[in-house]
């Protein structure tokens, strides 16, 4: 019996030596820099049969001392082997008290994990490890698993593949002759009806080491999902009762409220075709008024659905519930209204053609020219300050000069003044003409909710829960708008789309909606001039909405890759053209130029009247001074 025990011990040592080499070679092949493992912690193994387990206590102690001195324990050899390769490793003895979250948690780098199922432990402890790993979603791309088993049937029976997916890296190593055979294990989606797939990964022997036969990329060789059913849900509000949901989502009709859902569904159909899975489409037609996230997000959080085909806005709360696959839908909402030519007198119309900096420079140069002309005239003894000022004014207004001079310096100075005045006069005139020929009103409102509130327009919107989500945004301008919105009576806040469009036709009404819904109606109902007067103030500024999937779901990665392919292949652009509405077209060439109104000419007329009044006052004062001086002179005589 002693001889049989020694032989069994030698077999154990040889078995552990080759097992360590398999683990070492596999993780080197995977280019893993960190490894965690669960080993036996000693040299005993069921592979020696029951006789090895009934050694006397003294013989066990002797064998353990011999093994430790010559070979070291298995954990020590594993650590030594990986440290020599520059790989960080930690090991733990298999048992009932293993805390998976503490041992295998990783968020930023790949972690190699090996488990030795040949250890003399009960199956319950092994099952507990796999159950905990599934609970914490440790079968994704961050964990690379290597299982050392006795036979494939026993190993598979212990697995929990409920969270296996296309990204799973799970290899089982089984002894064969003087080497090992390795199998690649994965499941696309167990709850979707996917079968557990077992593929030959490669072999290992003492002479050649690891020989990998499964060299094709993980996603390319697993891309066939074998028509498994994937639950996809979306918000659909306007489907007729007598129409099939799939038919409705594929149909382009006059009902534009559900275009978001139709666009998302069309993209998922293309992804499903790429990877050969089928969609079980679910309709969500009720959104509780006080629910900020909606039934789709709640269902993805509770894993009632795998995917969502309704593009939704990104919020911190939603990101805690589920995962964004990709942002695909360009969305915005705005208040629309007409901007008519202003009926208010604007005195700035005189100064508006030129910027303030131009006016400042013009004044400075005018003063410089007055001084230069004064110096020249004084040297020639011809003129006074008042004549110098009149020369500048006459030049700017393209009038004649109030004197004649044969001196060359005076002529050069006056010619330069006339040229400067000519350029300024033409620039000013061109700016005025350009503003008149410009299409549309020149006084359109800024894209600001604050400006919209100050305009005192009548505000209304299309009644949706989505609007309630938008006005609860924490930005300052939206919160300011919310306070004003709550002052509007409940009955005046909401209007159907058609009534809202009719309201936009009347100046002073602003209606909030998605432009994709109202653009076709505006193009049919508005005239060319009315379209040119259309103004938009955004509530939801242009942003990209994303398609969502269940948190850490089996389809997150594959749908992301599929959607990226729709970008590069032009499919997304085609679907955008199909499900979005173009901006209303208006003919700029045939647009009639509006006449100058009396309101626009009032500032100019006031300037004329002001000049006339000042002239009359000065004339009266001059006559009074002249007569007073004349009377005083007569009395003195």
């Amino acid at each position: 019996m002693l001889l049989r025990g020694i032989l069994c011990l030698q077999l154990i040592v040889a078995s552990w030596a080759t097992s360590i080499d398999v683990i070492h070679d596999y993780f080197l092949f995977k280019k893993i820099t960190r490894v965690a493992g669960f080993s036996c912690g000693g040299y005993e193994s069921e592979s020696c049969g029951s006789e090895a387990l009934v050694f006397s206590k003294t013989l066990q102690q002797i064998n353990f001392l011999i093994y430790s001195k010559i070979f070291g324990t298995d954990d020590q050899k594993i650590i030594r082997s990986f440290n020599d390769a520059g790989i960080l490793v930690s090991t733990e003895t298999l048992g009932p008290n293993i805390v998976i979250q503490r041992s295998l948690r990783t968020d930023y780098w790949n972690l190699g994990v090996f488990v030795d199922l040949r250890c003399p432990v009960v199956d319950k402890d092994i099952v507990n490890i796999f159950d905990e790993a599934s609970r914490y979603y440790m079968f994704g791309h961050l964990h690379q698993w290597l299982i050392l088993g006795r036979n494939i049937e026993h190993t598979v029976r212990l697995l929990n593949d409920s969270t296996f997916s296309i990204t799973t890296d799970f290899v089982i190593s089984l002894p064969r002759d003087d080497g090992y055979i390795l199998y690649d294990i994965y499941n696309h989606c167990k709850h979707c009806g996917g079968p557990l797939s077992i593929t030959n990964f490669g072999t290992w022997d003492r002479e050649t080491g690891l020989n990998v036969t499964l060299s094709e990329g993980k996603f390319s060789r697993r891309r066939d999902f074998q028509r498994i059913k994937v639950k996809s849900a979306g918000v659909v509000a306007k489907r007729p009762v007598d129409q099939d949901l799939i038919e409705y989502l594929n149909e382009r009709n006059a009902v534009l409220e559900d275009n978001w859902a139709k666009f998302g569904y069309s993209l998922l159909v293309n992804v499903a075709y790429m990877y050969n899975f089928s969609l079980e489409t679910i309709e969500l037609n009720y959104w509780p008024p006080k629910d900020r996230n909606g039934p789709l997000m709640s269902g993805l959080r509770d894993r009632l659905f795998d995917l969502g085909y309704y593009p939704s806005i990104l919020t911190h709360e939603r990101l805690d519930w589920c995962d964004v696959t990709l942002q695909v839908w360009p969305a915005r909402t705005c208040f629309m209204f007409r901007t008519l030519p202003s009926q208010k007198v604007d005195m700035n119309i005189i100064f508006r053609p030129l910027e303030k900096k131009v006016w400042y420079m013009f004044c400075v140069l005018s003063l410089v020219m007055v001084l230069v002309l004064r110096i020249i005239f004084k040297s020639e003894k011809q003129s006074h300050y008042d004549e110098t000022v009149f020369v500048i004014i006459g030049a700017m207004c393209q009038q004649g000069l109030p004197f004649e001079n044969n001196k060359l310096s005076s002529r050069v100075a006056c010619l330069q003044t006339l040229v400067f005045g000519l350029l300024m006069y033409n620039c000013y005139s061109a700016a005025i003409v350009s503003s008149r020929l410009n299409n549309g009103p020149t006084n359109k409102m800024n894209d600001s909710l604050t400006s919209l509130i100050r305009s005192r327009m009548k505000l209304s919107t299309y009644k949706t829960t989505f609007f309630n989500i938008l006005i609860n945004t924490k930005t300052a301008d939206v919160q300011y708008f919310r306070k004003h919105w709550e002052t509007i009576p409940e009955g005046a806040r909401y209007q159907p789309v058609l009534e809202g469009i009719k309201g936009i036709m009347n100046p002073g009404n602003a209606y909030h909606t998605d432009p994709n819904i109202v653009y076709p109606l505006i193009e049919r109902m508005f005239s060319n001039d009315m379209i040119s007067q259309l103004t938009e103030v955004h509530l939801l500024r242009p942003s990209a909405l994303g398609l969502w999937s269940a948190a850490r779901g089996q389809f997150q990665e594959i749908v992301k890759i599929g959607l990226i392919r729709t970008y590069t292949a032009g499919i997304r652009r085609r679907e955008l053209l199909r499900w979005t509405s173009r901006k209303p077209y208006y003919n700029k060439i045939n647009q009639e130029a509006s006449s100058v109104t009396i309101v626009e000419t009032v500032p100019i007329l006031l300037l004329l009247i002001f000049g006339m009044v000042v002239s009359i006052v000065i004339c009266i004062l001059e006559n009074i001074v002249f007569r007073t001086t004349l009377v005083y002179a007569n009395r003195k005589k």
Side-chain angles (χ1 to χ4, degrees), residues 354 357-375 377 385-397 413 416-425:
L354 301 178
K357 293 181 180 179
V358 178
W359 285 114
Y360 294 153
M361 186 59 66
F362 172 76
C363 294
V364 170
L365 292 177
S366 298
L367 292 176
V368 171
M369 287 187 293
V370 169
L371 293 175
V372 171
L373 288 176
R374 175 57 188 161
I375 293 171
F377 290 163
Y385 280 112
D386 55 349
E387 292 183 356
T388 305
V389 173
F390 276 113
V391 167
I392 300 300
I393 295 175
M396 295 304 167
C397 298
Q416 183 68 22
T417 304
L418 288 171
V419 171
F420 175 74
L422 175 65
L423 294 177
M424 288 297 300
Y425 179 82

Side-chain angles (χ1 to χ4, degrees), residues 130-186:
F130 291 138
D131 289 346
E132 289 295 305
S134 292
R135 181 179 304 171
Y136 294 110
Y137 301 97
M138 293 181 177
F139 293 116
H141 62 276
L142 289 179
H143 293 80
Q144 313 278 333
W145 291 77
L146 176 63
I147 309 300
L148 304 174
R150 292 190 299 271
N151 60 75
I152 192 67
E153 294 81 8
H154 176 260
T155 305
V156 169
R157 188 168 65 250
L158 300 177
L159 293 182
N160 182 343
D161 60 336
S162 58
T163 58
F164 277 28
S165 67
I166 193 173
T167 64
T168 299
D169 278 285
F170 195 93
V171 172
I172 296 177
S173 173
L174 303 175
R176 186 189 66 173
D177 300 331
D178 60 344
Y180 290 86
I181 183 169
L182 286 76
Y183 295 96
D184 179 63
I185 310 295
Y186 72 94

Side-chain angles (χ1 to χ4, degrees), residues 618-632:
I618 292 174
C619 179
I620 293 173
L621 292 176
E622 285 181 341
N623 280 279
I624 292 174
V625 171
F626 175 75
R627 290 180 182 275
T628 303
T629 305
L630 183 61
V631 170
Y632 178 76

Side-chain angles (χ1 to χ4, degrees), residues 198-439:
I198 303 176
T199 310
N200 193 324
F201 181 81
T203 60
W204 184 93
D205 56 57
R206 293 177 181 272
E207 296 180 358
T208 61
L210 183 64
N211 302 298
V212 178
T213 58
L214 197 63
S215 58
E216 190 177 4
K218 179 168 55 177
F219 287 96
S220 58
R221 59 185 166 84
R222 297 178 179 179
R223 62 177 299 163
D224 186 3
F225 277 66
Q226 303 176 16
R227 301 300 299 170
I228 62 175
K229 286 189 176 181
V230 180
K231 290 184 178 180
S232 62
V235 179
V236 180
K238 297 296 181 179
R239 179 180 68 89
V241 180
D242 58 346
Q243 189 173 13
D244 179 70
L245 176 61
I246 304 301
E247 179 185 351
Y248 176 72
L249 291 176
N250 287 309
E251 180 185 19
R252 179 177 174 83
N253 51 28
V255 180
L256 301 175
E257 284 89 340
D258 288 327
N259 275 11
W260 291 19
K262 293 179 178 181
F263 170 79
Y265 176 77
S266 65
L267 290 186
L268 284 188
V269 167
N270 283 281
V271 175
Y273 178 77
M274 291 179 193
Y275 297 101
N276 193 31
F277 62 83
S278 59
L279 292 175
E280 182 182 343
T281 309
I282 301 172
E283 173 188 12
L284 304 174
N285 52 19
Y286 176 71
W287 190 319
K290 295 184 179 180
D291 187 357
R292 287 173 49 85
N293 298 304
L296 175 60
M297 297 300 157
S298 301
L300 292 173
R301 177 195 60 187
D302 299 335
R303 306 187 74 85
L304 301 178
F305 324 122
D306 299 300
L307 299 171
Y309 59 82
Y310 184 80
S312 302
I313 194 170
L314 278 66
T315 64
H316 291 290
E317 186 177 3
R318 290 178 175 180
L319 290 172
D320 292 335
W321 286 9
C322 38
D323 294 331
V324 180
T325 54
L326 202 67
Q327 293 175 267
V328 293
W329 177 258
R332 63 189 183 95
T333 65
C334 56
F335 284 92
M336 296 185 179
F337 52 92
R338 288 176 60 200
T339 299
L340 299 181
S342 176
Q343 300 299 314
K344 296 180 180 180
V345 176
D346 185 10
M347 295 302 297
N348 289 329
I349 192 173
I350 300 174
F351 304 99
R352 189 177 298 155
L354 301 178
E355 290 185 352
K356 290 182 179 180
K357 293 181 180 179
V358 178
W359 285 114
Y360 294 153
M361 186 59 66
F362 172 76
C363 294
V364 170
L365 292 177
S366 298
L367 292 176
V368 171
M369 287 187 293
V370 169
L371 293 175
V372 171
L373 288 176
R374 175 57 188 161
I375 293 171
I376 294 174
F377 290 163
K378 186 176 182 179
S379 64
E380 297 176 356
K381 300 179 181 180
Q382 295 190 50
S383 181
H384 302 286
Y385 280 112
D386 55 349
E387 292 183 356
T388 305
V389 173
F390 276 113
V391 167
I392 300 300
I393 295 175
M396 295 304 167
C397 298
Q398 298 297 292
Q399 303 299 314
L401 299 177
F403 66 92
E404 293 181 2
N405 196 338
N406 295 325
K407 299 290 184 177
L408 183 60
S409 59
S410 300
R411 291 186 176 187
V412 171
C414 292
L415 179 62
Q416 183 68 22
T417 304
L418 288 171
V419 171
F420 175 74
L422 175 65
L423 294 177
M424 288 297 300
Y425 179 82
N426 287 335
C427 288
Y428 187 85
S429 301
I432 293 178
V433 174
S434 176
S435 64
R436 291 304 308 160
L437 294 178
N438 185 33
N439 289 321

Side-chain angles (χ1 to χ4, degrees), residues 35-39 74-76 78-79 82 89-93 114:
V35 175
F38 302 96
S39 65
D74 54 302
D75 288 350
Q76 292 173 353
I78 290 172
I79 293 173
F82 278 109
V89 60
S90 66
T91 61
E92 190 171 352
T93 303
F114 69 88

